[in-house]
Amino acid sequence: MASRGVMNMGALASRANRMRTKLQSTLEASVLEIEDVSHQHSGHAAMRESEYSGGETHFNLKIVSPKFEGQTLVKRHRMVYDLLSDELQSGLHALSINAKTPQEVAPK
Amino acid sequence: MAAINAITPKIPLSIRLTTSKSLPTLSFLSLPNTSSFTASNFLSLKHSSSIATTAKLKPRSLSIVSALKKISELDSIALSPENDDSLTSDSGVYAVYNSDGELEFIGLSRNVAASVDSHRKKVPELCSSVKVGVVDDPTKESLTQAWKSWMEEHIAATGKIPPGNETGNTTWFRPPPKKKPDLRLTPGRHVQLTVPLEQLIDRLVKENKVVAFIKGSRNAPACGFSQKVVGILESQGVDYESVDVLDEEYNNGLRETLKSYSNWPTFPQVFAKGELVGGCDILTSMYENGELADLFK
């Protein structure tokens, strides 16, 4: 159990960090939260395949970016997916994306 | 038009099953001679509806149902092809009897003649005669109340629920509509496709108003996100088609092809009028802010 936890911590650092770098630089995000929720999906058929067994397959993202201004939800999600396409091809399985503009999160 | 499902109103458990003041059980039911039907039917129908009307004028009969005759007070109308037109197409309650004069089923309907006719087509052997109580000024409540009062009368008299009204008996109703099956894109993985899969997807999403590509079947989604999307679509009453992207036999290769077709890397994917609406997050947020209802109008 302990050793697995350590391994996950290491893996988290890598993919989550790569994601953060990619999203931050292009989207100029004022908020960028990345949460690894892979453990919630460990029973998933795709997750039992050995190559993904190290976790880092499911993430929740919360991004606030001025680049989302005037974009539909589909377009905002596409922007994120495009930035993360390498990750999606290498075992990133699902993203839950909350994409807002600074205006949308501003207190009224 | 079939009978309104009369199962829904629950018969109160408090109904006394033992009856000292028991009505002469069904003994009034002497089936009229076939040759003399038409006239007597006509009369009895006129009778029941006119009673209902006159009763309303009496000051004490304020409720509709109090104007409704008891089953025991009504004459039965024999059912045969010759007296097809004699039943009322008004709203009301009706009791169907078999050839032994046993009550099979009590129903309620917005069109008694049509309902009885559909029963007779489905189970002619159980439909020998019928009693009809017209409910004037019918509402869902007054019809249900009328139906209840007949059920209570019958149960009080016989101690039994009519067989056709027992839970699980589907003889008298259309069974509830089945959920749609998931669509399959191909006839099977071993059948050579004559059209590229991409084109099949394209056709499918353009020919159907709403299509959800999900993991697992719509009846048993295999992933929480797909389940959520199915739940949202169902709750909106959307008439949608579903495709199981995990079905390797009939949708082989669909996951990869769909990802490139829609330029969207994850599932579920929901399309409306040929356009990608989004996945679970987008559906959820559109559902919450009310945009979804507009989209599926």
Side-chain angles (χ1 to χ4, degrees), chain B residues 32 34 36-48 75-80 82-88 129-130:
Chain B
T34 326
S36 65
F37 275 147
T38 328
S40 72
N41 289 338
F42 189 62
L43 282 176
S44 77
L45 281 174
K46 278 280 181 220
H47 191 54
S48 66
D75 293 323
S76 64
I77 306 160
L79 294 169
S80 69
E82 296 91 69
N83 65 355
D84 245 7
D85 310 330
S86 62
L87 287 179
T88 175
S129 65
V130 66

mmCIF file of all heavy atoms in Angstrom, chain B residues 32 34 36-48 75-80 82-88 129-130:
data_model
loop_
_atom_site.group_PDB
_atom_site.id
_atom_site.type_symbol
_atom_site.label_atom_id
_atom_site.label_comp_id
_atom_site.label_asym_id
_atom_site.label_seq_id
_atom_site.Cartn_x
_atom_site.Cartn_y
_atom_site.Cartn_z
ATOM 1 N N PRO B 32 -78.314 -10.535 -21.180
ATOM 2 C CA PRO B 32 -79.467 -10.418 -22.064
ATOM 3 C C PRO B 32 -79.290 -11.316 -23.290
ATOM 4 O O PRO B 32 -78.190 -11.664 -23.671
ATOM 5 C CB PRO B 32 -79.468 -8.950 -22.471
ATOM 6 C CG PRO B 32 -78.434 -8.287 -21.687
ATOM 7 C CD PRO B 32 -77.562 -9.308 -21.079
ATOM 8 N N THR B 34 -79.056 -12.303 -26.947
ATOM 9 C CA THR B 34 -78.344 -11.581 -28.007
ATOM 10 C C THR B 34 -79.272 -10.811 -28.940
ATOM 11 O O THR B 34 -78.972 -9.697 -29.341
ATOM 12 C CB THR B 34 -77.526 -12.554 -28.868
ATOM 13 O OG1 THR B 34 -77.073 -13.586 -28.030
ATOM 14 C CG2 THR B 34 -76.383 -11.845 -29.545
ATOM 15 N N SER B 36 -81.947 -9.301 -28.486
ATOM 16 C CA SER B 36 -82.612 -8.090 -27.998
ATOM 17 C C SER B 36 -81.633 -7.019 -27.526
ATOM 18 O O SER B 36 -82.005 -6.084 -26.847
ATOM 19 C CB SER B 36 -83.545 -8.459 -26.834
ATOM 20 O OG SER B 36 -82.772 -8.921 -25.760
ATOM 21 N N PHE B 37 -80.384 -7.196 -27.895
ATOM 22 C CA PHE B 37 -79.399 -6.293 -27.357
ATOM 23 C C PHE B 37 -79.509 -4.849 -27.671
ATOM 24 O O PHE B 37 -79.509 -4.017 -26.804
ATOM 25 C CB PHE B 37 -78.023 -6.629 -27.901
ATOM 26 C CG PHE B 37 -77.507 -7.620 -27.108
ATOM 27 C CD1 PHE B 37 -76.684 -8.571 -27.629
ATOM 28 C CD2 PHE B 37 -77.884 -7.642 -25.789
ATOM 29 C CE1 PHE B 37 -76.222 -9.509 -26.833
ATOM 30 C CE2 PHE B 37 -77.387 -8.600 -25.014
ATOM 31 C CZ PHE B 37 -76.557 -9.541 -25.533
ATOM 32 N N THR B 38 -79.494 -4.601 -28.950
ATOM 33 C CA THR B 38 -79.236 -3.235 -29.382
ATOM 34 C C THR B 38 -80.153 -2.251 -28.662
ATOM 35 O O THR B 38 -79.675 -1.274 -28.103
ATOM 36 C CB THR B 38 -79.354 -3.124 -30.888
ATOM 37 O OG1 THR B 38 -78.925 -4.366 -31.422
ATOM 38 C CG2 THR B 38 -78.524 -2.019 -31.431
ATOM 39 N N ALA B 39 -81.400 -2.578 -28.649
ATOM 40 C CA ALA B 39 -82.348 -1.680 -28.014
ATOM 41 C C ALA B 39 -82.040 -1.490 -26.534
ATOM 42 O O ALA B 39 -81.932 -0.364 -26.064
ATOM 43 C CB ALA B 39 -83.761 -2.226 -28.187
ATOM 44 N N SER B 40 -81.841 -2.591 -25.856
ATOM 45 C CA SER B 40 -81.660 -2.468 -24.416
ATOM 46 C C SER B 40 -80.343 -1.779 -24.073
ATOM 47 O O SER B 40 -80.256 -1.029 -23.103
ATOM 48 C CB SER B 40 -81.718 -3.842 -23.753
ATOM 49 O OG SER B 40 -80.553 -4.555 -24.056
ATOM 50 N N ASN B 41 -79.332 -2.031 -24.888
ATOM 51 C CA ASN B 41 -78.063 -1.351 -24.638
ATOM 52 C C ASN B 41 -78.223 0.118 -24.728
ATOM 53 O O ASN B 41 -77.726 0.869 -23.920
ATOM 54 C CB ASN B 41 -77.051 -1.643 -25.739
ATOM 55 C CG ASN B 41 -76.604 -3.029 -25.634
ATOM 56 O OD1 ASN B 41 -76.723 -3.567 -24.559
ATOM 57 N ND2 ASN B 41 -76.124 -3.558 -26.709
ATOM 58 N N PHE B 42 -78.839 0.451 -25.789
ATOM 59 C CA PHE B 42 -79.023 1.847 -26.082
ATOM 60 C C PHE B 42 -79.732 2.497 -24.910
ATOM 61 O O PHE B 42 -79.315 3.516 -24.400
ATOM 62 C CB PHE B 42 -79.832 1.968 -27.370
ATOM 63 C CG PHE B 42 -79.885 3.351 -27.871
ATOM 64 C CD1 PHE B 42 -78.720 4.014 -28.243
ATOM 65 C CD2 PHE B 42 -81.086 4.024 -27.942
ATOM 66 C CE1 PHE B 42 -78.769 5.311 -28.696
ATOM 67 C CE2 PHE B 42 -81.128 5.322 -28.399
ATOM 68 C CZ PHE B 42 -79.962 5.969 -28.784
ATOM 69 N N LEU B 43 -80.752 1.812 -24.454
ATOM 70 C CA LEU B 43 -81.522 2.351 -23.346
ATOM 71 C C LEU B 43 -80.668 2.486 -22.095
ATOM 72 O O LEU B 43 -80.670 3.514 -21.448
ATOM 73 C CB LEU B 43 -82.720 1.434 -23.058
ATOM 74 C CG LEU B 43 -83.867 1.605 -24.045
ATOM 75 C CD1 LEU B 43 -84.961 0.599 -23.741
ATOM 76 C CD2 LEU B 43 -84.401 3.029 -23.987
ATOM 77 N N SER B 44 -79.915 1.428 -21.833
ATOM 78 C CA SER B 44 -79.168 1.466 -20.580
ATOM 79 C C SER B 44 -78.107 2.556 -20.616
ATOM 80 O O SER B 44 -77.809 3.162 -19.600
ATOM 81 C CB SER B 44 -78.539 0.110 -20.292
ATOM 82 O OG SER B 44 -77.404 -0.047 -21.096
ATOM 83 N N LEU B 45 -77.573 2.789 -21.782
ATOM 84 C CA LEU B 45 -76.571 3.841 -21.870
ATOM 85 C C LEU B 45 -77.199 5.202 -21.675
ATOM 86 O O LEU B 45 -76.708 6.034 -20.926
ATOM 87 C CB LEU B 45 -75.872 3.804 -23.225
ATOM 88 C CG LEU B 45 -74.803 2.747 -23.335
ATOM 89 C CD1 LEU B 45 -74.289 2.700 -24.746
ATOM 90 C CD2 LEU B 45 -73.691 3.046 -22.354
ATOM 91 N N LYS B 46 -78.267 5.389 -22.383
ATOM 92 C CA LYS B 46 -79.013 6.636 -22.226
ATOM 93 C C LYS B 46 -79.317 6.856 -20.760
ATOM 94 O O LYS B 46 -79.128 7.923 -20.211
ATOM 95 C CB LYS B 46 -80.365 6.517 -22.975
ATOM 96 C CG LYS B 46 -80.241 6.787 -24.452
ATOM 97 C CD LYS B 46 -80.209 8.282 -24.684
ATOM 98 C CE LYS B 46 -80.099 8.564 -26.179
ATOM 99 N NZ LYS B 46 -79.209 9.654 -26.436
ATOM 100 N N HIS B 47 -79.756 5.759 -20.199
ATOM 101 C CA HIS B 47 -80.153 5.762 -18.827
ATOM 102 C C HIS B 47 -79.018 6.246 -17.936
ATOM 103 O O HIS B 47 -79.174 7.212 -17.203
ATOM 104 C CB HIS B 47 -80.528 4.325 -18.466
ATOM 105 C CG HIS B 47 -81.195 4.229 -17.149
ATOM 106 N ND1 HIS B 47 -82.301 4.962 -16.822
ATOM 107 C CD2 HIS B 47 -80.915 3.472 -16.065
ATOM 108 C CE1 HIS B 47 -82.685 4.662 -15.596
ATOM 109 N NE2 HIS B 47 -81.857 3.756 -15.127
ATOM 110 N N SER B 48 -77.875 5.616 -18.086
ATOM 111 C CA SER B 48 -76.793 5.958 -17.167
ATOM 112 C C SER B 48 -76.353 7.402 -17.351
ATOM 113 O O SER B 48 -76.046 8.081 -16.387
ATOM 114 C CB SER B 48 -75.610 5.005 -17.337
ATOM 115 O OG SER B 48 -75.051 5.204 -18.611
ATOM 116 N N ASP B 75 -77.267 -2.215 -15.987
ATOM 117 C CA ASP B 75 -77.486 -3.388 -16.827
ATOM 118 C C ASP B 75 -76.232 -3.626 -17.637
ATOM 119 O O ASP B 75 -75.542 -2.690 -18.015
ATOM 120 C CB ASP B 75 -78.665 -3.130 -17.780
ATOM 121 C CG ASP B 75 -79.970 -3.018 -17.015
ATOM 122 O OD1 ASP B 75 -80.133 -3.768 -16.031
ATOM 123 O OD2 ASP B 75 -80.805 -2.159 -17.383
ATOM 124 N N SER B 76 -75.991 -4.885 -17.891
ATOM 125 C CA SER B 76 -74.807 -5.164 -18.692
ATOM 126 C C SER B 76 -75.156 -5.144 -20.174
ATOM 127 O O SER B 76 -76.278 -5.421 -20.573
ATOM 128 C CB SER B 76 -74.188 -6.501 -18.304
ATOM 129 O OG SER B 76 -75.100 -7.518 -18.596
ATOM 130 N N ILE B 77 -74.191 -4.769 -20.937
ATOM 131 C CA ILE B 77 -74.355 -4.669 -22.378
ATOM 132 C C ILE B 77 -73.539 -5.786 -23.007
ATOM 133 O O ILE B 77 -72.322 -5.863 -22.796
ATOM 134 C CB ILE B 77 -73.819 -3.312 -22.884
ATOM 135 C CG1 ILE B 77 -74.469 -2.169 -22.114
ATOM 136 C CG2 ILE B 77 -74.035 -3.174 -24.378
ATOM 137 C CD1 ILE B 77 -73.684 -0.873 -22.193
ATOM 138 N N ALA B 78 -74.175 -6.637 -23.725
ATOM 139 C CA ALA B 78 -73.433 -7.738 -24.342
ATOM 140 C C ALA B 78 -72.582 -7.194 -25.473
ATOM 141 O O ALA B 78 -72.951 -6.216 -26.131
ATOM 142 C CB ALA B 78 -74.399 -8.783 -24.867
ATOM 143 N N LEU B 79 -71.456 -7.812 -25.642
ATOM 144 C CA LEU B 79 -70.559 -7.356 -26.695
ATOM 145 C C LEU B 79 -70.612 -8.326 -27.851
ATOM 146 O O LEU B 79 -70.358 -9.509 -27.684
ATOM 147 C CB LEU B 79 -69.121 -7.268 -26.163
ATOM 148 C CG LEU B 79 -68.898 -6.208 -25.095
ATOM 149 C CD1 LEU B 79 -67.539 -6.399 -24.449
ATOM 150 C CD2 LEU B 79 -69.026 -4.819 -25.686
ATOM 151 N N SER B 80 -70.917 -7.818 -28.979
ATOM 152 C CA SER B 80 -70.908 -8.641 -30.184
ATOM 153 C C SER B 80 -70.674 -7.709 -31.354
ATOM 154 O O SER B 80 -70.889 -6.502 -31.239
ATOM 155 C CB SER B 80 -72.229 -9.377 -30.331
ATOM 156 O OG SER B 80 -73.247 -8.451 -30.635
ATOM 157 N N GLU B 82 -72.326 -7.029 -33.775
ATOM 158 C CA GLU B 82 -73.524 -6.299 -34.260
ATOM 159 C C GLU B 82 -73.784 -5.026 -33.478
ATOM 160 O O GLU B 82 -74.345 -4.083 -33.997
ATOM 161 C CB GLU B 82 -74.789 -7.175 -34.173
ATOM 162 C CG GLU B 82 -74.778 -8.403 -35.058
ATOM 163 C CD GLU B 82 -74.195 -9.598 -34.310
ATOM 164 O OE1 GLU B 82 -74.848 -10.071 -33.380
ATOM 165 O OE2 GLU B 82 -73.077 -10.016 -34.653
ATOM 166 N N ASN B 83 -73.411 -5.025 -32.221
ATOM 167 C CA ASN B 83 -73.732 -3.803 -31.471
ATOM 168 C C ASN B 83 -72.496 -2.938 -31.222
ATOM 169 O O ASN B 83 -72.339 -2.336 -30.187
ATOM 170 C CB ASN B 83 -74.439 -4.141 -30.152
ATOM 171 C CG ASN B 83 -73.523 -4.908 -29.213
ATOM 172 O OD1 ASN B 83 -72.404 -5.259 -29.582
ATOM 173 N ND2 ASN B 83 -73.989 -5.149 -28.013
ATOM 174 N N ASP B 84 -71.664 -2.922 -32.222
ATOM 175 C CA ASP B 84 -70.427 -2.167 -32.149
ATOM 176 C C ASP B 84 -70.621 -0.693 -31.803
ATOM 177 O O ASP B 84 -69.814 -0.111 -31.099
ATOM 178 C CB ASP B 84 -69.709 -2.239 -33.507
ATOM 179 C CG ASP B 84 -68.395 -2.972 -33.365
ATOM 180 O OD1 ASP B 84 -68.149 -3.520 -32.271
ATOM 181 O OD2 ASP B 84 -67.634 -2.991 -34.335
ATOM 182 N N ASP B 85 -71.676 -0.116 -32.347
ATOM 183 C CA ASP B 85 -71.830 1.330 -32.191
ATOM 184 C C ASP B 85 -72.568 1.719 -30.913
ATOM 185 O O ASP B 85 -72.761 2.892 -30.647
ATOM 186 C CB ASP B 85 -72.644 1.902 -33.373
ATOM 187 C CG ASP B 85 -72.090 1.428 -34.693
ATOM 188 O OD1 ASP B 85 -70.860 1.197 -34.739
ATOM 189 O OD2 ASP B 85 -72.869 1.278 -35.648
ATOM 190 N N SER B 86 -72.976 0.712 -30.160
ATOM 191 C CA SER B 86 -73.875 1.052 -29.061
ATOM 192 C C SER B 86 -73.154 1.589 -27.834
ATOM 193 O O SER B 86 -73.778 2.167 -26.965
ATOM 194 C CB SER B 86 -74.699 -0.167 -28.673
ATOM 195 O OG SER B 86 -73.820 -1.165 -28.220
ATOM 196 N N LEU B 87 -71.842 1.410 -27.753
ATOM 197 C CA LEU B 87 -71.142 1.928 -26.578
ATOM 198 C C LEU B 87 -70.839 3.408 -26.729
ATOM 199 O O LEU B 87 -70.608 3.908 -27.826
ATOM 200 C CB LEU B 87 -69.840 1.167 -26.360
ATOM 201 C CG LEU B 87 -69.965 -0.253 -25.824
ATOM 202 C CD1 LEU B 87 -68.597 -0.883 -25.698
ATOM 203 C CD2 LEU B 87 -70.670 -0.271 -24.478
ATOM 204 N N THR B 88 -70.786 4.050 -25.613
ATOM 205 C CA THR B 88 -70.520 5.480 -25.644
ATOM 206 C C THR B 88 -69.030 5.741 -25.853
ATOM 207 O O THR B 88 -68.187 4.986 -25.384
ATOM 208 C CB THR B 88 -70.970 6.135 -24.323
ATOM 209 O OG1 THR B 88 -70.582 7.505 -24.364
ATOM 210 C CG2 THR B 88 -70.282 5.494 -23.124
ATOM 211 N N SER B 129 -69.535 -9.237 -21.953
ATOM 212 C CA SER B 129 -70.444 -8.107 -21.782
ATOM 213 C C SER B 129 -69.743 -7.039 -20.957
ATOM 214 O O SER B 129 -68.689 -7.269 -20.366
ATOM 215 C CB SER B 129 -71.728 -8.545 -21.079
ATOM 216 O OG SER B 129 -71.417 -8.970 -19.772
ATOM 217 N N VAL B 130 -70.367 -5.870 -20.931
ATOM 218 C CA VAL B 130 -69.713 -4.754 -20.262
ATOM 219 C C VAL B 130 -70.764 -3.876 -19.597
ATOM 220 O O VAL B 130 -71.913 -3.815 -20.043
ATOM 221 C CB VAL B 130 -68.858 -3.959 -21.282
ATOM 222 C CG1 VAL B 130 -69.729 -3.289 -22.336
ATOM 223 C CG2 VAL B 130 -67.994 -2.910 -20.599
#
